[in-house]
Amino acid sequence: VKIKLKIVIKVGGALFAQGIEKLVEDLEVISKEHQIIIVHGGGPQITELGKKLGTPAKYFDTPKGMTTRYTDENQLEIVKNALAGSVNKNIVEALRRKNINAFGFTGLDGGVIMANRKDKIMIINDKGKRQILRGEFSGKVNTVNTEIIEFLLEKQYLPVIGCMSCSETGDAVNVDGDRAAIAVAQAINADKFISLTDVEGVYKNMETKEIIPSMTDVEAENFIKNVSGGMKKKLFAAVEAIKSGVKEFIIYSGQVDNPISDILTNKKGTIISKN
Ligand SMILES: Nc1ncnc2c1ncn2[C@@H]1O[C@H](COP(=O)(O)OP(=O)(O)OP(=O)(O)O)[C@@H](O)[C@H]1O
Ligand SMILES: [Mg+2]
């Protein structure tokens, strides 16, 4: 008898942009054998819609040397349309076309993902000085209310959760997709956490594209300085997750054949785990 696993899959906006056909095909089989929960981001789609509407996203450098997106009220509207709207519904539609009983919503709905809103951000302005920007609508995940998710799983639905979250005062807030997904995985006691993106793992070297098969949280933390772009943020999230008790944080591509089966049977991608 096969053991039924609870698997949380984070579908990155980067992967969604490339197409989720391979994932959906795999889920046709996997979702019958295991309980699947999808949590998705939508960064590139938010950026694209902003451009299309003539209100492009603004990015700033932070004092910590990261790049941050400024989510003001206008951008929050775009988040609602792109992430909660188009991306979420397209994932649900792709799954339902394969007869998978997908149910889409966001962390805002029902207050499923509660976050602490950060209403201002510290940036480095074009004069190289620290500056505070107010009216920010992003935040950090605080708690996950599992009731709705457990109910859906019990009734054989596959929850598809956009990472937009709910603040204590009821505002919609944009949160990091990997962190939202990890928080969901921890709250529902998931057996596996997989962050599916558009690369097959953490590259040792951007030119050779050699994948690092496994890293401890300490190795991952030390490696962050060598990494740029979205992967840097993902490694921060992975280290934080392992330190808070998550057993494994798996990073793999959703563009290969049968990505989830491949991880379950062949241990593919980069596996970050405790020392
Ligand atoms: N050392 C590295 N190894 C692998 N990818 C890297 C590395 N350094 C930078 N990257 C970049 O990080 C990207 C993945 O992170 P990104 O945040 O863009 O994706 P995502 O988390 O799946 O999507 P989203 O944040 O929109 O949900 C890759 O496409 C790659 O270009
Ligand atoms: Mg990312």
Side-chain angles (χ1 to χ4, degrees):
V1 184
K2 263 195 177 172
I3 298 167
K4 201 172 195 153
L5 301 174
K6 231 189 252 180
I7 306 171
V8 171
I9 303 170
K10 189 262 181 165
V11 174
L15 170 63
F16 182 83
Q18 300 298 322
I20 55 167
E21 296 80 13
K22 302 272 191 193
L23 169 65
V24 170
E25 256 171 55
D26 198 18
L27 287 180
E28 242 186 306
V29 181
I30 294 282
S31 69
K32 293 194 180 82
E33 297 168 352
H34 301 292
Q35 280 188 327
I36 308 290
I37 301 93
I38 290 178
V39 179
H40 67 85
Q45 294 73 33
I46 295 164
T47 305
E48 203 167 294
L49 184 62
K51 271 190 213 150
K52 218 189 259 177
L53 298 177
T55 46
K58 292 177 201 134
Y59 295 90
F60 295 98
D61 293 333
T62 72
K64 277 188 185 159
M66 306 277 285
T67 305
T68 189
R69 180 200 293 267
Y70 178 39
T71 308
D72 59 9
E73 210 153 7
N74 268 327
Q75 290 297 318
L76 186 65
E77 277 310 298
I78 295 166
V79 172
K80 290 172 190 165
N81 281 285
L83 185 133
S86 173
V87 176
N88 187 268
K89 296 320 146 195
N90 277 300
I91 295 174
V92 170
E93 181 186 36
L95 293 167
R96 296 204 66 88
R97 279 180 172 155
K98 295 283 186 193
N99 253 318
I100 300 168
N101 196 13
F103 185 97
F105 56 107
T106 74
L108 171 69
D109 302 278
V112 168
I113 305 176
M114 297 301 295
N116 295 326
R117 180 181 161 197
K118 178 174 64 173
D119 58 359
K120 48 181 186 276
I121 52 171
M122 175 80 84
I123 60 137
I124 303 291
N125 66 19
D126 47 19
K127 293 187 186 80
K129 291 247 165 71
R130 285 172 181 235
Q131 186 186 328
I132 288 171
L133 292 182
R134 293 179 195 280
E136 167 73 13
F137 285 90
S138 67
K140 271 210 153 148
V141 177
N142 179 15
T143 49
V144 174
N145 297 310
T146 58
E147 197 179 52
I148 302 274
I149 303 171
E150 306 279 13
F151 174 80
L152 291 170
L153 291 174
E154 200 180 292
K155 302 284 181 195
Q156 319 295 323
Y157 287 91
L158 190 161
V160 178
I161 314 172
C163 70
M164 190 172 76
S165 301
C166 185
S167 82
E168 311 92 285
T169 50
D171 298 308
V173 285
N174 196 17
V175 304
D176 177 59
D178 282 289
R179 288 191 170 87
I182 269 290
V184 167
Q186 283 183 290
I188 64 168
N189 257 316
D191 301 294
K192 282 246 175 258
F193 175 79
I194 299 166
S195 183
L196 276 191
T197 182
D198 61 347
V199 290
E200 289 184 37
V202 181
Y203 296 146
K204 202 177 225 168
N205 173 312
M206 283 305 272
E207 272 88 68
T208 62
K209 298 195 170 175
E210 188 193 335
I211 303 291
I212 303 173
S214 66
M215 298 168 109
T216 66
D217 53 333
V218 176
E219 286 167 345
E221 196 163 18
N222 289 330
F223 198 73
I224 289 176
K225 60 179 183 300
N226 307 320
V227 176
S228 62
M231 191 55 77
K232 193 174 188 126
K233 222 174 174 183
K234 203 182 289 296
L235 280 183
F236 270 115
V239 168
E240 203 179 276
I242 302 302
K243 284 189 172 155
S244 73
V246 172
K247 268 192 280 169
E248 283 181 343
F249 189 111
I250 301 170
I251 303 169
Y252 194 42
S253 168
Q255 291 181 268
V256 302
D257 288 333
N258 308 308
I260 305 301
S261 315
D262 215 13
I263 288 168
L264 296 180
T265 55
N266 303 321
K267 295 206 173 273
K268 297 299 276 285
T270 297
I271 305 173
I272 300 162
S273 58
K274 191 82 206 146
N275 238 343

